[in-house]
Amino acid sequence: MNKHGQLIRILFLYPQEMNTYGDWGNVLVIQKRLEWRGFRVRIIEHHPGDRLPSDVDLIFFGGGQDSGQSLIMDDLQMIGPQLNEWIEAEKAMLAICGGYQLLGREFVTQTDKRLPGLGILNFTTYAQADRLIGNVIIENQHFGQVIGFENHSGRTFLGQDLQPLGRVLQGAGNNGEDGGEGVIYKATIGTYLHGPILPKNPKVADWLIAKSIGITSKELVQLDDKYVARARSIAVASSY
Amino acid sequence: MRHVRNRAALLAGRLTGAVMRIGGKNSTALPGYIAEKFGNSPLYQMMRQRSFHARIVVTGTNGKTTTTLLIKNILERAGFEVVNNSSGSNLSRGVLTTLLRDKRQGQWTILLLEVDEASMPAVVSAVQPDRIVVTNIFRDQLDRYGEVDFTRHLLEQAIGTAPNTRLILNADDPHVARLAGDDKNAIFFGLDVTGIEALKHDHASDVPGSPETGSPLIYQRRYFGHVGLYRAKDRSFERPYPDVSVSKIHPTSAGQKISLRVGERHAQIESQMRGLYSAYNAAAALTVAYSLEIDIRTAEEAVMNSKAAFGRQESLDYAGSQFSFYLVKNPTGFNQVIQAELQKMVNRPLLIIINDNFADGRDVSWLWDVAIEDIHPKIEVVVSGTRAYDMALRMEYAGRSCQVIEDPLDALGKLAQNNSHIIVLPTYTALLQIRKALNLALEHRS
C-alpha cells in the first residue's frame, strides 16, 4: 500500500491569519512523517482570495486571533461548501481552536450575538469572559492519552450525534462541564489542543496520515520517535 | 487629544481574560472604570505626593529591559537623578515597592519605569506618565496574555487613561504605530536600512490589517516578524515617517556601529550590542533623549558606554571558558538571536536551555514558532532544561541532530571541557539557575 514517491497534497488554510502558537508545527510534523516514509509532499497554502485546488489529501485549519478571523470570514464562507464536501468524503482534516470552532454551526458572543460558523458539524460555541488555560490530557480509545495545552474562552457543546475526540483526564476540554474534548467525525479531528498537538502525539499524526493515503495506521512504516516517550512523560508529570 | 485617545480606548474592541479581570465587564466604560478602580490605589496615592521632572514608562514585548537601561544611562549622563525599577519588579506592586524604597524626587529627578504589558492599565492610570515608550508587540507564550491583539488592547486602554502623555512609538511595528490613532504629537522611531535579510522560517509574525478598513498590509521591506516598511493595500494606513531613524548598521568586532538621524541632526553610535533589535533599542532611547531636548552628544556617549543588561548578550568567563548568554523568552526574541548570531557558521557550540517554570511560561508551544531551520546546520547543538525533550523534538523536525543533557549545569560542564567559547540560550529561570551556579548573579543584577 505504501507507494513510494506517491504525492500527498496538504491544504494549509490561511497560514498568515490563522496560525497562532506554533500550530503550523502540525503541518511540519505531517510533512516530515510522510517524507521520512518516502512520500512526496506538496503544501498548498490557501490565502483569502485564492482559488481552491481541485483536490487535496489532507486539510489543516489552525487557530487565529479575532483580527485574523475577521480577515478570513468572507473567503471562508466562499470555500465552505467545498470544505463540507471534502469532510463528508472522508478527507483527513485537523482543525485547531479557532479553526475547530468555525466548523460548527455558530459562535454566540457574550452579548448573545450569533455569528454563523460553516455549519459543517453540529455544535455551538459560547463565548465567556474567563479563559480555560493549562495543560490537558485526554483519553481516546485509539490513541490512548493525548496531551496538549489549551487556551480558549469559547465553550463548545457538541450535538448528540457527535463524538468528542476524547474524555478529559486533566484540564477543561470543550467546555469544562461535560468532560469531552474536541470532536472526531469521519476523518476530521477538531480540538482545542495546542502544543502543537502532533509532535508529542504521533499516533494522532499517523492516523491523519493514514486517512490521507487511504490505508490504516497499522500499514504505515513505524518511525523511530526517539524523543517522544520522554517528552510525553515529562509533559504529563508537569500537568498535575 | 483627550477626546481622541479616549475614543481609541473605547473602540478597543472585544475584551477577554485578564482585561476583564482588570477592567470589569463593561468594556465601553473601561477608561473611567480603570481611573475609578485605580484612583484610590496605593500607587496612585503615592504618586500624588511625589513630583518629578519627567515620568517615563517603557513597555513592549521585547527590548524593555535594555531600552530602559539605555534611557537610564542617558538621563544620568545628562545630570538627572533617576528613580528606576528593575526588570524583576515591572508589575504594579513592583513599581510601588520601588517608589517606597527610593524617596528621591524633584525637578532634577526623573521617574523611569519598565512596565509589563499586563500592568500597563494599572500603572499608567496611577502614574500618569508624560512619556510612554512602546518597543514592539509580538506573540509571547500562550499562557501569558498570548494574543498580539490582546496585548494591543491592554496598551490602548492604558494610553486612554493618560490623556496628556506623549507617545514614543516604533514606526516599523504596525501594532505599535497604530496606537497613535489621530494623535499628532506622537514621536516615532524606525529603521531605514537596506540589505537586511529576513529569516526564511519566521513563523512569529502577526501581520494585522489596516486599523481603518481592515485592508491587508503590503511590505516594501521586512526586517523581522511583522516589523518593516509597510502600507495598507488601500493606502488607509502606512508606516509613519520616523522622527528618529537608523540609516546604517555596520558590524564591528566589539558590536556594531549605528548611524542615525535624530530630527534634523545626525548621530553615530558604536554600540557594544549587536543585532537589529539592539539598533531599535538604541533608537528608542535616543528618541526619549530627543523628546527631553537632551544634548545629542551626551546621549551618544551614554549609549556607547552602555553594557548589556542581565543575560542579554552578556559574556562571562568561567573555568577557562567564555559563556555568551542570550535570554530567550518568546519566538521573536529567539529569532533575533538567530538572525544576528547563528545563521552563519560559528565554531562554538550552542546550548539551548528550556525550562517551563511559572516565570518561563508553562507552555512550550512557542518553540515551534522559532526559526530553528535558519540556524546554520553545522553548529553543534546541546539541549537542556526541564523541557529539553520538547526542544529535541523541535530540532528533530527541523532536520537537525542534537544532544540531550537534561541538567543544565551538567551540560555546561561537559561543553566547557572541550570548548573555549559557548553560546547559551536560556529561558529566564534557566538563566537564574546558571548565574547562581556561576556565583555571579548578585553582581550583575541591576
Side-chain angles (χ1 to χ4, degrees), chain A residues 17-18 20 63-73 98 101-102 107 109 115 127 131 153, chain B residues 12-16 147-150 152-153:
Chain A
E17 296 82 4
M18 301 293 280
T20 46
Q65 310 188 51
D66 291 347
S67 63
Q69 294 197 15
S70 64
L71 288 169
I72 64 149
M73 280 316 287
Q101 292 174 349
L102 286 166
F107 184 91
T109 69
L115 309 170
R131 296 184 82 86
S153 56
Chain B
R14 269 171 46 193
L15 305 167
T16 43
E147 297 179 351
V148 163
D149 286 352
F150 179 75
R152 198 187 62 241
H153 290 325

Side-chain angles (χ1 to χ4, degrees), chain A residues 19 21 24 65 67 151 200, chain B residues 139 142 146 149 368 390 397:
Chain A
N19 177 24
Y21 308 105
W24 82 279
Q65 310 188 51
S67 63
N151 183 345
K200 284 202 289 289
Chain B
R139 55 176 71 179
L142 191 50
D149 286 352
W368 292 81
D390 278 274
Y397 281 104

Side-chain angles (χ1 to χ4, degrees), chain B residues 130-339:
Chain B
D130 39 62
R131 279 162 187 78
I132 297 177
V133 184
V134 186
T135 57
N136 47 57
I137 304 178
F138 289 113
R139 55 176 71 179
D140 217 322
Q141 284 126 19
L142 191 50
D143 67 336
R144 288 191 85 216
Y145 346 113
E147 297 179 351
V148 163
D149 286 352
F150 179 75
T151 307
R152 198 187 62 241
H153 290 325
L154 280 171
L155 301 190
E156 279 169 350
Q157 282 142 28
I159 291 164
T161 68
N164 297 316
T165 199
R166 187 140 198 213
L167 298 171
I168 297 177
L169 304 173
N170 184 343
D172 302 348
D173 181 338
H175 295 284
V176 174
R178 67 177 279 189
L179 292 173
D182 297 334
D183 181 354
K184 298 278 185 283
N185 286 315
I187 319 177
F188 293 95
F189 59 90
L191 256 63
D192 287 288
V193 180
T194 51
I196 288 168
E197 225 175 293
L199 293 174
K200 289 180 194 72
H201 301 86
D202 190 331
H203 293 277
S205 55
D206 290 284
V207 180
S210 157
E212 303 296 327
T213 61
S215 165
L217 295 195
I218 300 163
Y219 281 78
Q220 182 196 340
R221 264 183 232 157
R222 195 118 157 202
Y223 301 131
F224 58 88
H226 46 253
V227 169
L229 309 191
Y230 55 84
R231 65 169 171 77
K233 208 170 173 182
D234 67 359
R235 295 183 178 266
S236 60
F237 177 58
E238 64 178 346
R239 180 238 195 189
Y241 179 78
D243 303 274
V244 172
S245 155
V246 174
S247 55
K248 220 184 263 176
I249 304 172
H250 183 74
T252 62
S253 57
Q256 61 190 9
K257 197 188 276 181
I258 310 166
S259 304
L260 306 100
R261 178 182 51 74
V262 180
E264 302 296 315
R265 302 190 59 187
H266 284 271
Q268 199 163 68
I269 290 169
E270 286 202 40
S271 168
Q272 299 175 31
M273 292 168 242
R274 272 199 301 273
L276 282 176
Y277 57 115
S278 302
Y280 274 106
N281 295 338
L286 283 188
T287 311
V288 172
Y290 171 67
S291 82
L292 288 165
E293 296 176 2
I294 289 171
D295 173 59
I296 197 164
R297 302 291 160 244
T298 307
E300 267 179 352
E301 283 163 22
V303 175
M304 267 191 241
N305 287 304
S306 294
K307 293 213 184 328
F310 179 59
R312 279 88 171 171
Q313 297 194 24
E314 195 185 26
S315 276
L316 292 174
D317 291 318
Y318 181 75
S321 295
Q322 189 186 1
F323 297 91
S324 300
F325 290 97
Y326 299 84
L327 174 66
V328 291
K329 297 190 288 191
N330 51 43
T332 299
F334 202 137
N335 284 348
Q336 286 281 277
V337 179
I338 294 172
Q339 191 173 14

Side-chain angles (χ1 to χ4, degrees), chain B residues 57-60 64 85 90 95 113-117 119-120 123:
Chain B
V57 159
V58 181
T59 194
K64 288 188 284 283
N85 59 335
N90 65 7
V95 170
L113 299 171
E114 172 188 330
V115 180
D116 189 81
E117 300 90 289
S119 291
M120 279 293 283
V123 173

